[in-house]
Amino acid sequence: MSKAKTGNKRSALSEVVTREHTIHLHKSVFGATFKKRTPRAVKAIREFAQKTMGTKDVRIDSQLNKALWSRGVKAVPHRIRVRLSRRRNDNEDAAEKLYTYVTYVPVADFKGLQTQTVDE
Protein backbone atom coordinates (compact mmCIF):
# COMPACT_ATOMS: atom_id res chain seq x y z
CA MET A 1 0.00 0.00 0.00
CA SER A 2 1.19 3.49 -0.75
CA LYS A 3 0.41 6.62 1.18
CA ALA A 4 -1.56 9.21 -0.75
CA LYS A 5 -0.71 12.08 1.58
CA THR A 6 2.83 12.54 2.82
CA GLY A 7 2.30 15.93 4.47
CA ASN A 8 0.11 14.45 7.20
CA LYS A 9 2.99 13.55 9.55
CA ARG A 10 2.84 14.71 13.15
CA SER A 11 5.75 16.49 14.70
CA ALA A 12 7.28 14.78 17.71
CA LEU A 13 8.14 18.20 19.12
CA SER A 14 4.50 19.11 19.56
CA GLU A 15 3.80 15.85 21.33
CA VAL A 16 4.94 16.28 24.90
CA VAL A 17 2.98 13.46 26.48
CA THR A 18 2.98 11.21 29.56
CA ARG A 19 1.80 7.59 29.58
CA GLU A 20 1.77 4.73 32.08
CA HIS A 21 2.86 1.31 30.85
CA THR A 22 3.38 -2.12 32.37
CA ILE A 23 6.65 -3.68 31.20
CA HIS A 24 6.99 -7.46 31.26
CA LEU A 25 10.63 -7.82 32.34
CA HIS A 26 10.61 -11.58 32.69
CA LYS A 27 10.63 -11.93 28.90
CA SER A 28 13.92 -10.06 28.65
CA VAL A 29 15.78 -11.55 31.63
CA PHE A 30 14.67 -15.17 31.33
CA GLY A 31 17.70 -17.38 30.78
CA ALA A 32 20.21 -14.64 31.57
CA THR A 33 23.18 -15.22 33.82
CA PHE A 34 22.31 -14.35 37.41
CA LYS A 35 24.82 -11.54 37.68
CA LYS A 36 23.48 -9.90 34.51
CA ARG A 37 19.73 -10.05 35.17
CA THR A 38 19.10 -6.61 36.67
CA PRO A 39 21.48 -4.78 34.29
CA ARG A 40 19.66 -6.47 31.41
CA ALA A 41 16.31 -5.35 32.87
CA VAL A 42 17.54 -1.74 32.94
CA LYS A 43 18.57 -2.05 29.28
CA ALA A 44 15.18 -3.56 28.43
CA ILE A 45 13.41 -0.58 30.02
CA ARG A 46 15.61 1.82 28.04
CA GLU A 47 14.88 -0.07 24.82
CA PHE A 48 11.13 -0.12 25.54
CA ALA A 49 11.11 3.63 26.21
CA GLN A 50 13.06 4.38 23.03
CA LYS A 51 10.71 2.28 20.92
CA THR A 52 7.51 3.54 22.55
CA MET A 53 8.28 7.25 22.79
CA GLY A 54 10.54 7.62 19.77
CA THR A 55 13.45 9.35 21.52
CA LYS A 56 17.07 8.26 21.71
CA ASP A 57 17.69 10.04 25.03
CA VAL A 58 16.13 8.02 27.89
CA ARG A 59 16.64 9.01 31.53
CA ILE A 60 15.75 6.61 34.35
CA ASP A 61 14.60 7.93 37.72
CA SER A 62 16.52 6.84 40.82
CA GLN A 63 13.34 5.42 42.42
CA LEU A 64 12.86 3.12 39.42
CA ASN A 65 16.48 2.03 39.69
CA LYS A 66 15.98 1.29 43.41
CA ALA A 67 12.81 -0.69 42.66
CA LEU A 68 14.67 -2.81 40.11
CA TRP A 69 17.62 -3.45 42.41
CA SER A 70 15.50 -3.89 45.60
CA ARG A 71 15.59 -7.70 45.37
CA GLY A 72 19.22 -7.88 44.30
CA VAL A 73 20.92 -8.68 41.04
CA LYS A 74 19.29 -12.10 40.61
CA ALA A 75 15.62 -11.63 41.51
CA VAL A 76 14.23 -9.06 39.07
CA PRO A 77 10.47 -8.36 39.35
CA HIS A 78 8.52 -10.10 36.58
CA ARG A 79 6.57 -6.95 35.77
CA ILE A 80 6.96 -3.28 36.61
CA ARG A 81 4.67 -0.29 36.11
CA VAL A 82 6.38 2.81 34.75
CA ARG A 83 5.39 6.33 33.71
CA LEU A 84 7.04 7.46 30.48
CA SER A 85 7.03 11.21 29.93
CA ARG A 86 8.36 12.77 26.76
CA ARG A 87 9.81 16.18 27.60
CA ARG A 88 11.52 19.02 25.84
CA ASN A 89 15.27 19.27 26.24
CA ASP A 90 16.12 22.68 27.72
CA ASN A 91 19.79 22.34 26.88
CA GLU A 92 20.61 24.59 23.91
CA ASP A 93 23.40 22.45 22.45
CA ALA A 94 21.64 19.10 22.88
CA ALA A 95 21.65 16.70 19.95
CA GLU A 96 18.05 15.62 20.63
CA LYS A 97 15.14 18.04 21.00
CA LEU A 98 13.19 15.67 23.25
CA TYR A 99 14.03 13.15 25.94
CA THR A 100 12.06 10.48 27.80
CA TYR A 101 11.96 10.45 31.60
CA VAL A 102 11.01 7.07 33.10
CA THR A 103 9.63 6.94 36.66
CA TYR A 104 8.37 4.12 38.88
CA VAL A 105 4.65 3.71 39.65
CA PRO A 106 4.03 1.38 42.62
CA VAL A 107 0.98 -0.86 42.17
CA ALA A 108 -0.39 -3.68 44.31
CA ASP A 109 -1.63 -5.84 41.44
CA PHE A 110 -1.05 -5.85 37.68
CA LYS A 111 -4.37 -7.48 36.79
CA GLY A 112 -6.49 -5.43 34.42
CA LEU A 113 -4.02 -2.57 34.00
CA GLN A 114 -3.74 -1.03 30.57
CA THR A 115 -1.72 1.76 29.02
CA GLN A 116 -3.07 5.12 30.15
CA THR A 117 -2.33 8.66 29.05
CA VAL A 118 -1.72 10.85 32.09
CA ASP A 119 -2.70 14.52 32.22
CA GLU A 120 -0.06 16.61 33.97
Side-chain angles (χ1 to χ4, degrees), residues 6-72:
T6 57
N8 200 7
K9 290 169 49 175
R10 286 187 266 164
S11 172
L13 280 175
S14 63
E15 294 192 29
V16 177
V17 69
T18 302
R19 294 189 196 109
E20 281 189 6
H21 293 272
T22 302
I23 302 176
H24 190 183
L25 294 174
H26 190 66
K27 289 192 294 189
S28 61
V29 300
F30 178 75
T33 306
F34 279 153
K35 298 298 181 184
K36 296 180 182 177
R37 284 172 75 93
T38 304
R40 189 179 283 191
V42 172
K43 289 175 190 159
I45 289 175
R46 276 189 196 280
E47 185 179 310
F48 179 83
Q50 283 178 358
K51 187 175 81 171
T52 307
M53 296 305 244
T55 61
K56 294 271 187 206
D57 189 5
V58 176
R59 301 173 190 180
I60 294 180
D61 188 41
S62 61
Q63 292 300 318
L64 175 60
N65 197 35
K66 282 184 183 177
L68 286 171
W69 285 92
S70 64
R71 291 164 45 181

